[in-house]
Amino acid sequence: MAVLNLEVVARFREDGYVRTDGLIDRDELERYGSAIDRAVASRTAGDERALVDKTAYEQSFVQCMRLWETDLGVRPLTFHPTLAQAAAELLEVEAVRLWQDQALYKEPGGRRTDPHQDAPFWPVGDAPLVSAWIPLEPSTEANGALGYIPGSHRLGKLRTVDLTSPEVAYDILADPALAGRRPITVEAEVGSVVWHHGSTVHGAGPNATDATRRAFTIVYLADGYRRAKPWPNFPLDRAGVGVGDLMEGEGLPLAWPRPDGDVPDPPDRVGESTGPQQHVVPS
Ligand SMILES: O=C(O)CCC(=O)C(=O)O
């Protein structure tokens, strides 16, 4: 049985983003939130830098990737069957794989997340991608809720935004293809999920509050697609996926469908994947 109604799927097809309410139980999410907090604290232990001493990229958010590989308490969220099924329904495909999970914590005073598309960062060609952005507390205009440009996913890939040097970066909002359209902010309560397509232009405002904006995201990749480009990419390289090979293997498990209650084991080699990792801008 479907977990989303057809209207939600149609809205996603049209706009390239949609918010779903009530797919995850709030109490369950609170437990996952604590597990994610512990994982982030452990990954960032020893980093005493003030926000001002961090790079522009790090000032947008603390990013801790592939938590499912190291943190047992996070794993059931990453492979939450309702979310993974919803991802498949939104992409209108039979099966989805995990591309990555991550915590994105925007610190008090954290700068905006510069508008960008996700898909151009990764060598996945036209493989459909969808992200579940899961707030661990209400996301608001004030603390850095995400904003999306409706329909921008239908423009395909624009230029890659270099999130590591925003001061010299190409400003995607000025791209003629967007015809001056601005992102629409989508606030979300705990228990809601905001979904965006891999080609949807999106970003987030600064965090003007004195509390960290905590969010967790899961990126799903439609199953059955082949690697398109050779540029270095951790999950594909670790899994030994060459250009032209099907994107599957170590660290890229099927998220949907899976047998009831079954959560995959993490890869043997998690060492290189546990630190914060920036989006690579392909040359
Ligand atoms: O959480 C943020 O500020 C940015 C999120 C984002 O860009 C994404 O999930 O693709």
Side-chain angles (χ1 to χ4, degrees):
M1 206 176 76
V3 294
L4 299 177
N5 66 45
L6 292 178
E7 219 175 276
V8 170
V9 177
R11 197 163 327 127
F12 180 79
R13 197 187 303 135
E14 179 66 18
D15 290 341
Y17 70 92
V18 73
R19 192 185 72 205
T20 54
D21 300 327
L23 277 185
I24 319 187
D25 178 72
R26 289 175 61 108
D27 293 339
E28 194 185 346
L29 201 51
E30 226 149 76
R31 284 199 307 279
Y32 294 134
S34 304
I36 296 164
D37 286 345
R38 285 194 296 275
V40 170
S42 146
R43 295 268 188 105
T44 57
D47 184 356
E48 305 291 341
R49 288 174 302 160
L51 188 64
V52 62
D53 296 325
K54 296 187 174 180
T55 65
Y57 184 81
E58 293 168 314
Q59 287 178 23
S60 292
F61 40 63
V62 173
Q63 179 183 30
C64 296
M65 304 184 75
R66 285 175 270 282
L67 295 183
W68 77 277
E69 298 188 4
T70 54
D71 291 85
L72 264 179
V74 180
R75 204 169 296 163
L77 177 60
T78 303
F79 293 96
H80 197 293
T82 309
L83 295 181
Q85 183 179 348
E89 290 177 17
L90 289 172
L91 291 180
E92 301 180 76
V93 299
E94 292 299 316
V96 290
R97 291 186 177 274
L98 177 71
W99 177 249
Q100 64 184 34
D101 67 6
Q102 59 187 348
L104 293 175
Y105 281 19
K106 195 182 281 291
E107 297 175 84
R111 63 184 290 280
R112 73 174 194 163
T113 306
D114 298 291
H116 63 280
Q117 296 172 305
D118 294 333
F121 293 130
W122 302 318
V124 302
D126 294 330
L129 289 159
V130 61
S131 288
W133 193 89
I134 305 166
L136 301 174
E137 65 219 297
S139 72
T140 63
E141 184 91 46
N143 73 2
L146 261 65
Y148 307 86
I149 300 195
S152 49
H153 64 307
R154 283 187 265 110
L155 298 170
K157 290 182 197 159
L158 303 175
R159 282 175 52 201
T160 310
V161 175
D162 186 351
L163 293 172
T164 62
S165 17
E167 62 287 352
V168 293
Y170 142 75
D171 176 6
I172 200 168
L173 296 185
D175 194 300
L178 292 176
R181 281 179 290 156
R182 312 305 293 176
I184 292 179
T185 302
V186 180
E187 297 188 327
E189 294 293 329
V190 176
S192 297
V193 176
V194 197
W195 302 84
H196 65 265
H197 185 278
S199 294
T200 302
V201 176
H202 63 284
N207 183 357
T209 72
D210 53 15
T212 298
R213 185 223 65 188
R214 298 150 58 241
F216 185 69
T217 89
I218 309 166
V219 187
Y220 304 91
L221 171 77
D223 184 37
Y225 284 78
R226 294 174 188 277
R227 180 173 186 160
K229 300 279 183 190
W231 67 64
N233 176 264
F234 178 76
L236 295 180
D237 296 340
R238 177 177 57 180
V241 174
V243 173
D245 293 345
L246 278 175
M247 294 188 282
E248 59 185 23
E250 195 180 7
L252 300 160
L254 268 185
W256 178 263
R258 297 194 67 82
D260 238 7
D262 184 51
V263 173
D265 291 329
D268 293 334
R269 293 174 292 147
V270 297
E272 300 157 83
S273 73
T274 54
Q277 184 179 302
Q278 299 184 343
H279 293 303
V280 172
V281 177
S283 49

